[in-house]
Amino acid sequence: MTRKQKRMLVRIIVSAALMVLLAFITLPPVARFVAYLALYLLIGYDILRKAALGIIHGQLMDECFLMAIATVGAMALAIVQKSGDYTEAIAVMLFYQIGEFFQSYAVGRSRKNISALMDIRPDYANLEGEDSSIRRVSPDEVAVGSIIVVNPGEKVPLDGTVVTGTSSLDTRALTGESLPREVAPGDSLVSGSINMTGVLRVRTQKAFGESTVSKILDLVENAGSRKSKSEDFITKFARVYTPAVCIGALLLALLPPLVLLVLGRAPLWTQWIYRALTFLVISCPCALVISIPLSFFAGIGGASKAGILVKGSNFLETLSKTGIVVFDKTGTLTRGVFVVSGIHHNMMEEAELLEYAALAESASSHPISLSLQKAYGGLVDHSRVSDVHEMGGGGVTAIVDGHQVACGNDKLMRSLGIEAMPCHSIGTIVHVAFDGAYAGHIVISDVEKPGAKEAVRKLRKAGVGRIVMLTGDSAKVADQVARDLGIDEVHSELLPGDKVDAVEDLIAHKDTKASLAFVGDGINDAPVLSRADIGIAMGAMGSDAAIEAADVVLMDDDPMKIAKAIRISRKCLVIVYENIVFAIGVKLICLALGALGIANMWLAIFADVGVMVIAVLNAIRAMFVRKL
Ligand code: ADP
Ligand code: MG
């Protein structure tokens, strides 16, 4: 509890006790009025102040305004009627404050929960100096390429690669994955994970601001700023609703007595004014105004606990309507870790061909390039390579040791006017050309991710009608993968631009209510990620392009998380609708009862606080997503 909340709690308790106490004391009328007025001010001064400020700033129509009018009105009525019954006005204020207190406590709690979940911000880094001395510094003071030491139990402060040491890492806060990850020299480390067992010396690869941990915290902290349609609706609704209610109350106070006067009967002014005030209390829209954003907030929090980062509540809303899921193949459904399964038609030594290919590819971050580097095994001397050009969805050309080397698929070869030798093996074929002449090809193959097939099945089970795979790879490989995974629609041999066209075509011909989700790894498909109704980036730990372009980021490579993300979003939206219907429904019933004079102010405030408490508790349900 914050200090402010504690103070409020004390105020509520003291006021409630005083209210009970005053009920048992008989005082002369003036003293009684003064005592109750003091109590009223004690419990309600901040509401009255806010209402007054609202009036000064011309923003009349908020809850404080409604509460102030209703309670001041009730006090005034008690004076006019000489009844001396001031309890009602005070009770209304008291319950309203209890409701507000509960709400701020709940919001505070869930905010805290979420930031605890995302407790990945490192406090310091152990920087190793030239003389191997260790200095504890702030992570943002560490330059790229420095050596830092991460002891067991510490958070990894910056992205980097292990130089010495082995250990297991707890990445749960980042990925929702509870199995520890083993690392050894050469492996890359993601900031925000926790080193569990061994001491690691790490060479940093990114500055703190560019590290995964900063990107993610940024994303989580800004998730609230993108509003969903439901939230917009509530804002607009409140703008029309409150004035409408005020006018309604005014009419209720004036019209019936006037009609009665015209009819020649007693106008019953106080009775109708009292009903109008009750009507005002009932109509306070707090439950709606608070519970909708809180539901989304809880949904986003629950998702991040599962390693799914959603950049805003609007995306949660779109995600819940997913009707088509479009997959990229390499790195998304397959692991993107290729192994060389053959080298054919080579005009030079196999090892030499591989060396030229690896050197030409040395600047590319494509999974194929990384795999060729690995197969080559040697250290790449960057000074041997120059003039690198990468053709997305094709391959690369470069000058290596003064020779023109081209390395890629038959599209690339065709564009260079070189005839590529076809290959009969199934696999991704990397053709290599040397000084403009064909020099052979390397057959590499990728494996499907373990969860890919299950992921497709789960998506169908979640009611996604259409699942499509787009790839730049050859038709042979694409068809094979699609058959294995149970995907019926495949488009292959696409350039990055073709993928955008394919997705636009799908969007143009789909049911307007359903949304299209594209799932990719950000390599050669960032434009599609931003074009789709909702872009989901896979295994984005480290890939900046994907984190920027995507709307939803899956922290680990697991394609199974897509169905989970959809289910989380649906649960959250069901809760949002439940709250809207429940809150508006109860309000309407109470309003009718109030207008008929059946509901009094006590009932009104109970209904209001009750609805708010239930709606907030319901909203918090959105955070529990483990079983989804
Ligand atoms: P996917 O759509 O399956 O993710 P990409 O669009 O990234 O595939 O690449 C499509 C094809 O383009 C690859 O299968 C490969 O043949 C070729 N290609 C792309 N980049 C490279 C590269 N750096 N080296 C060799 N070939 C490449
Ligand atoms: Mg790809």
Side-chain angles (χ1 to χ4, degrees):
M1 229 184 284
T2 64
R3 211 196 245 136
K4 202 168 148 205
Q5 284 170 333
K6 275 193 198 128
R7 220 180 307 135
M8 194 64 228
L9 188 62
V10 170
R11 243 172 91 195
I12 288 173
I13 294 172
V14 169
S15 308
L18 284 177
M19 194 170 93
V20 174
L21 194 70
L22 281 180
F24 287 103
I25 309 178
T26 17
L27 290 171
V30 177
R32 186 180 162 83
F33 173 71
V34 173
Y36 273 102
L37 184 66
L39 181 54
Y40 174 70
L41 291 179
L42 170 68
I43 188 68
Y45 71 86
D46 50 343
I47 305 288
L48 295 174
R49 206 183 67 122
K50 274 189 220 153
L53 284 178
I55 294 173
I56 294 169
H57 295 130
Q59 293 166 323
L60 294 182
M61 305 307 178
D62 66 353
E63 301 117 80
C64 294
F65 177 73
L66 291 181
M67 280 300 142
I69 296 279
T71 53
V72 169
M75 290 291 273
L77 270 187
I79 299 171
V80 172
Q81 287 176 313
K82 299 203 174 55
S83 66
D85 183 11
Y86 309 106
T87 346
E88 201 157 42
I90 289 163
V92 167
M93 265 309 178
L94 184 64
F95 282 115
Y96 180 76
Q97 294 284 32
I98 292 175
E100 288 286 295
F101 170 76
F102 173 74
Q103 166 217 306
S104 94
Y105 184 67
V107 172
R109 273 303 288 269
S110 51
R111 247 178 225 286
K112 224 202 226 124
N113 275 348
I114 289 167
S115 38
L117 290 174
M118 297 310 293
D119 184 19
I120 51 177
R121 188 189 300 279
D123 306 318
Y124 57 85
N126 304 316
L127 182 64
E128 189 180 287
E130 304 269 297
D131 51 353
S132 333
S133 63
I134 307 276
R135 249 184 339 126
R136 187 175 273 208
V137 297
S138 155
D140 50 16
E141 287 172 32
V142 179
V144 178
S146 317
I147 298 281
I148 54 170
V149 175
V150 187
N151 297 311
E154 290 181 341
K155 280 181 211 134
V156 178
L158 299 127
D159 294 358
T161 42
V162 179
V163 184
T164 48
T166 57
S167 180
S168 9
L169 291 184
D170 176 358
T171 60
R172 194 168 344 173
L174 290 169
T175 62
E177 167 63 59
S178 49
L179 278 182
R181 197 167 83 87
E182 305 297 327
V183 289
D187 289 343
S188 56
L189 280 186
V190 177
S191 50
S193 43
I194 297 169
N195 182 13
M196 298 207 296
T197 48
V199 177
L200 295 174
R201 282 177 72 240
V202 177
R203 184 175 298 281
T204 62
Q205 272 172 337
K206 287 183 185 160
F208 182 63
E210 294 298 311
S211 274
T212 310
V213 69
S214 309
K215 293 245 157 89
I216 288 167
L217 286 170
D218 235 35
L219 212 150
V220 173
E221 274 154 22
N222 291 323
S225 60
R226 301 183 202 225
K227 291 279 178 278
S228 62
K229 280 207 208 86
S230 322
E231 282 168 284
D232 276 348
F233 164 76
I234 293 304
T235 317
K236 282 198 200 109
F237 175 81
R239 214 175 291 148
V240 188
Y241 176 83
T242 322
V245 164
C246 289
I247 294 171
L250 201 62
L251 292 180
L252 194 61
L254 294 180
L255 277 191
L258 289 179
V259 171
L260 287 173
L261 265 185
V262 171
L263 293 179
R265 294 210 257 147
L268 303 171
W269 280 108
T270 48
Q271 180 189 327
W272 286 104
I273 290 175
Y274 179 79
R275 285 190 192 175
L277 294 176
T278 310
F279 183 87
L280 276 184
V281 176
I282 297 170
S283 59
C284 195
C286 340
L288 269 187
V289 170
I290 178 65
S291 74
I292 307 299
L294 187 65
S295 309
F296 278 115
F297 193 66
I300 291 176
S304 45
K305 192 161 47 164
I308 302 164
L309 298 183
V310 182
K311 285 197 189 167
S313 44
N314 53 337
F315 301 123
L316 214 53
E317 201 166 35
T318 324
L319 195 60
S320 70
K321 299 198 198 105
T322 307
I324 308 179
V325 174
V326 181
F327 281 102
D328 174 51
K329 180 181 75 73
T330 315
T332 305
L333 289 170
T334 65
R335 289 181 47 208
V337 181
F338 296 83
V339 280
V340 174
S341 58
I343 295 182
H344 307 152
H345 305 290
N346 38 318
M347 312 295 169
M348 56 177 89
E349 284 292 310
E350 285 189 6
E352 209 184 349
L353 187 76
L354 194 57
E355 180 172 357
Y356 278 121
L359 283 168
E361 292 269 11
S362 60
S364 164
S365 58
H366 197 276
I368 291 183
S369 148
L370 303 181
S371 310
L372 289 178
Q373 312 288 328
K374 196 151 191 187
Y376 165 58
L379 262 186
V380 170
D381 177 0
H382 286 279
S383 65
R384 292 169 63 188
V385 191
S386 62
D387 287 21
V388 181
H389 292 285
E390 181 152 6
M391 168 187 163
V396 295
T397 59
I399 307 277
V400 181
D401 297 342
H403 300 284
Q404 262 288 353
V405 179
C407 190
N409 55 14
D410 36 9
K411 257 194 208 120
L412 178 80
M413 292 296 136
R414 219 172 303 134
S415 74
L416 296 173
I418 297 165
E419 200 185 335
M421 205 81 81
C423 183
H424 300 293
S425 332
I426 292 194
T428 303
I429 317 293
V430 182
H431 298 285
V432 183
F434 192 76
D435 281 334
Y438 192 68
H441 55 238
I442 306 172
V443 186
I444 55 179
S445 53
D446 195 2
V447 282
E448 284 142 24
K449 284 191 191 164
K453 192 166 179 172
E454 179 68 6
V456 172
R457 205 182 59 77
K458 282 203 164 146
L459 278 177
R460 287 210 205 281
K461 210 171 124 207
V464 175
R466 204 162 167 198
I467 298 175
V468 185
M469 187 173 94
L470 302 181
T471 179
D473 211 342
S474 69
K476 244 197 305 197
V477 179
D479 291 343
Q480 167 94 30
V481 171
R483 215 172 316 121
D484 283 353
L485 300 182
I487 297 176
D488 33 37
E489 205 178 330
V490 190
H491 302 270
S492 48
E493 299 180 22
L494 303 174
L495 293 174
D498 303 335
K499 290 187 188 173
V500 177
D501 294 343
V503 162
E504 273 179 349
D505 192 53
L506 283 168
I507 290 181
H509 291 105
K510 77 180 163 69
D511 181 0
T512 44
K513 272 199 227 95
S515 49
L516 178 143
F518 178 81
V519 193
D521 60 357
I523 293 173
N524 285 346
D525 53 22
V528 205
L529 277 174
S530 13
R531 179 61 191 88
D533 295 330
I534 186 132
I536 305 179
M538 281 286 232
M541 300 214 295
S543 157
D544 301 350
I547 294 197
E548 299 292 327
D551 308 317
V552 175
V553 178
L554 303 183
M555 297 293 293
D556 51 7
D557 285 354
D558 190 355
M560 223 113 80
K561 288 273 169 71
I562 303 161
K564 182 157 187 154
I566 293 177
R567 283 196 304 267
I568 291 176
S569 69
R570 287 197 187 143
K571 174 174 175 180
C572 181
L573 269 112
V574 166
I575 291 175
V576 167
Y577 291 131
E578 278 169 7
N579 278 346
I580 293 182
V581 170
F582 174 63
I584 294 185
V586 173
K587 288 275 129 144
L588 288 180
I589 294 172
C590 288
L591 282 178
L593 292 179
L596 294 175
I598 301 171
N600 61 12
M601 226 179 257
W602 286 87
L603 180 90
I605 192 73
F606 263 124
D608 192 53
V609 174
V611 168
M612 181 152 89
V613 169
I614 294 173
V616 166
L617 289 178
N618 194 28
I620 288 176
R621 239 168 25 90
M623 205 151 77
F624 302 104
V625 300
R626 175 144 300 177
K627 290 216 189 74
L628 288 179

